[in-house]
Amino acid sequence: MGWRSIVVTQHAKISYSGRRIIVQTNQNINEIPIDDIEVLLISTTQAVITARAVSELARAAVKVIFSDDTGEPVCETVDYLPNNRSVSLLQQQFNWDVTRKEMLWTWLVTAKIQMQITVLQKQQIDTSELDYEFHKIEVNDISNREAVVARKYFPLLFETGFERRNFQPANAALNYGYSILLSFINRNIVATGCLTQLGIHHHNDENQFNLGSDLMEPFRPIIDWWVSEQDISELTPEIKIQLVDLLNLELKFNGKNTILRNALKNHVTNCVSYLNGERETAKVEVELGDEISDHALNRNV
Amino acid sequence: MRLIVMFDLPVDTSEDKRNYRKFRKELINEGFLMIQYSVYARVCVTKQSAQFTENRIKTFLPPRGLIQTLTVTEKQYNSMHFLVGDQKDDVRNTSDRTVVI
């Protein structure tokens, strides 16, 4: 039911009373109906949250994300036992058909590279190198075009010599955006009753969110796009908030006008039901608008 | 989209008063905000969710009195004129999808 992201940025006490989340700050008291909240991001270490609030938020399937002292998201709540998770569902997930997993991964990678090309085109950057790699995609991406493209894509989008692994402010912003995106995808995966640990391509032992990392791929370039449009010299609170607000970006998903958070919800359901054998394809077609402006954000309820 | 609930409830007997208090509390628990005495409003994302909320209200109605609901769009609600006084400054009175506290 939720449709709202709440970002807590200052000294606050977060508690629960009468189906509302109470955020008490130095200046005032904010009351938010718990059914409205989809994501609660606590982007400060100056906040306290009561156990009752955590448990009620979990029951309402709200993703709570905590940040460290630098404001980077460090952990999130994962529902212990969502009421729709059953043994049979888990068995289904463990037995996902290999061909279906491979096909889905192919679609995800194709959509991701396509999005990366679109983003470059929007910035009027020559994409011939990427197009060349794009045409060489094979089923299950056995030749790992995804990584090859990524290595070419980032230096093209940002300045030459740009690397994902160093400590540039733009990288910090990208990481921030990705973790918000991942948390949101995870929330939806948990809502379908699946385990976030068991992915279709990612299988890192230390990654608790392998499935989320798989499914989020086509949407990463949206963050890249936004970050590349900004001139970021430092990851300020303002930039962080706008990255969270990207969940409300208007776009076209599978032919329908929608906003990113609803598209992600649809995407996760599509993918999971495809893997469960309930549908024959899981198409991922994302069309972006002309520009990301503040005007495009926050507009529709 | 906003669901507005307006009511007049009798407060003659102590039972009436109890019914009134119970109804008001339940409304607040449903996420309603008092925009003025006896007038409560709540943001609903779609028409269906407004209908859903109204159905929930039907489960805790007091036995007597007058209670009316009205659904208006976001645009209509925001074009409300304030002849005297100001709009309530509360999270529940906005429809922003991202709220920064």
Side-chain angles (χ1 to χ4, degrees):
Chain A
M1 269 268 287
W3 48 275
R4 201 164 234 188
S5 324
I6 307 292
V7 188
V8 178
T9 56
Q10 52 174 315
H11 186 68
K13 183 190 172 190
I14 303 162
S15 56
Y16 172 86
S17 168
R19 299 189 56 221
R20 282 158 295 150
I21 288 296
I22 321 283
V23 184
Q24 197 174 340
T25 63
N26 286 335
Q27 289 83 40
N28 54 358
I29 298 174
N30 299 285
E31 299 183 13
I32 307 134
I34 200 164
D35 295 326
D36 288 356
I37 310 176
E38 195 159 36
V39 177
L40 172 64
L41 169 63
I42 304 172
S43 72
T44 167
T45 46
Q46 304 264 314
V48 289
I49 183 165
T50 62
R52 181 72 196 276
V54 172
S55 82
E56 292 292 341
L57 285 162
R59 199 174 290 169
V62 178
K63 192 50 107 178
V64 186
I65 310 168
F66 295 94
S67 309
D68 64 8
D69 49 354
T70 61
E72 285 282 319
V74 282
C75 75
E76 59 186 67
T77 56
V78 182
D79 301 9
Y80 193 44
L81 275 178
N83 48 17
N84 55 357
R85 180 174 292 163
S86 62
V87 180
S88 61
L89 205 71
L90 290 185
Q91 264 162 354
Q92 212 174 8
Q93 184 178 6
F94 276 93
N95 294 328
W96 275 343
D97 184 44
V98 182
T99 357
R100 280 188 182 249
K101 284 201 250 186
E102 289 183 352
M103 277 318 287
L104 183 61
W105 180 243
T106 319
W107 292 329
L108 290 174
V109 173
T110 316
K112 181 190 182 184
I113 300 179
Q114 227 156 20
M115 283 287 281
Q116 288 174 325
I117 293 175
T118 320
V119 167
L120 287 184
Q121 278 165 350
K122 284 192 181 298
Q123 305 288 20
Q124 266 103 41
I125 297 168
D126 176 37
T127 57
S128 49
E129 261 188 276
L130 261 59
D131 291 332
Y132 173 70
E133 301 294 347
F134 180 59
H135 291 297
K136 293 201 295 188
I137 294 185
E138 290 164 87
V139 171
N140 203 25
D141 194 27
I142 35 174
S143 55
N144 210 1
R145 286 302 104 185
E146 185 221 348
V148 175
V149 168
R151 189 166 300 164
K152 292 184 175 172
Y153 163 78
F154 281 104
L156 278 174
L157 186 59
F158 298 95
E159 74 270 33
T160 35
F162 182 89
E163 271 181 54
R164 278 287 291 126
R165 284 180 202 286
N166 61 17
F167 295 99
Q168 286 173 5
N171 262 330
L174 288 178
N175 292 338
Y176 196 89
Y178 294 157
S179 34
I180 301 295
L181 200 60
L182 177 64
S183 304
F184 193 81
I185 294 248
N186 288 335
R187 176 196 181 275
N188 286 306
I189 291 173
V190 173
T192 62
C194 290
L195 283 180
T196 54
Q197 288 90 342
L198 192 67
I200 55 167
H201 179 84
H202 288 80
H203 48 78
N204 187 339
D205 234 5
E206 286 162 24
N207 184 356
Q208 221 197 322
F209 306 115
N210 282 316
L211 186 55
S213 309
D214 289 325
L215 299 188
M216 78 183 282
E217 290 294 358
F219 298 94
R220 280 174 190 266
I222 295 179
I223 308 284
D224 306 339
W225 180 28
W226 187 83
V227 171
S228 73
E229 295 235 311
Q230 318 296 316
D231 187 17
I232 296 176
S233 53
E234 198 192 342
L235 185 59
T236 60
E238 163 100 299
I239 290 175
K240 289 178 191 164
I241 290 159
Q242 295 210 32
L243 280 164
V244 179
D245 214 17
L246 271 186
L247 287 173
N248 304 324
L249 177 77
E250 289 183 19
L251 45 79
K252 215 170 187 180
F253 181 71
N254 290 347
K256 271 192 185 159
N257 286 324
T258 178
I259 54 175
L260 180 58
R261 67 198 318 147
N262 293 341
L264 292 174
K265 225 178 280 178
N266 272 334
H267 173 65
V268 171
T269 342
N270 285 352
C271 292
V272 169
S273 60
Y274 171 72
L275 289 165
N276 283 338
E278 288 152 13
R279 48 159 54 221
E280 281 322 301
T281 55
K283 67 171 177 176
V284 195
E285 286 168 18
V286 191
E287 271 177 64
L288 295 173
D290 289 336
E291 59 175 11
I292 299 186
S293 64
D294 289 344
H295 185 65
L297 301 170
N298 251 338
R299 221 177 15 183
N300 49 0
V301 152
Chain B
M1 183 159 274
R2 306 277 173 137
L3 180 63
I4 301 175
V5 179
M6 299 164 281
F7 59 80
D8 264 330
L9 293 178
V11 281
D12 302 329
T13 66
S14 67
E15 199 192 339
D16 282 339
K17 285 181 190 160
R18 196 176 67 233
N19 286 336
Y20 154 75
R21 283 195 308 269
K22 238 178 93 185
F23 177 69
R24 181 180 180 277
K25 183 150 193 205
E26 292 269 21
L27 266 189
I28 293 170
N29 285 356
E30 286 299 324
F32 279 86
L33 170 74
M34 185 179 92
I35 54 174
Q36 57 171 281
Y37 284 125
S38 303
V39 182
Y40 289 69
R42 190 203 200 292
V43 180
C44 296
V45 196
T46 57
K47 212 167 184 163
Q48 286 92 317
S49 71
Q51 187 60 53
F52 177 80
T53 312
E54 192 178 306
N55 288 342
R56 282 189 64 107
I57 295 173
K58 284 183 190 157
T59 62
F60 55 79
L61 294 174
R64 298 192 298 123
L66 174 69
I67 301 175
Q68 290 155 297
T69 66
L70 176 68
T71 318
V72 294
T73 65
E74 214 43 41
K75 201 170 174 199
Q76 288 164 339
Y77 184 82
N78 284 320
S79 61
M80 185 163 21
H81 296 279
F82 286 81
L83 302 183
V84 178
D86 291 307
Q87 194 165 345
K88 280 248 162 103
D89 181 24
D90 193 290
V91 177
R92 281 168 293 177
N93 209 9
T94 69
S95 59
D96 296 346
R97 283 182 180 267
T98 303
V99 175
V100 180
I101 294 168

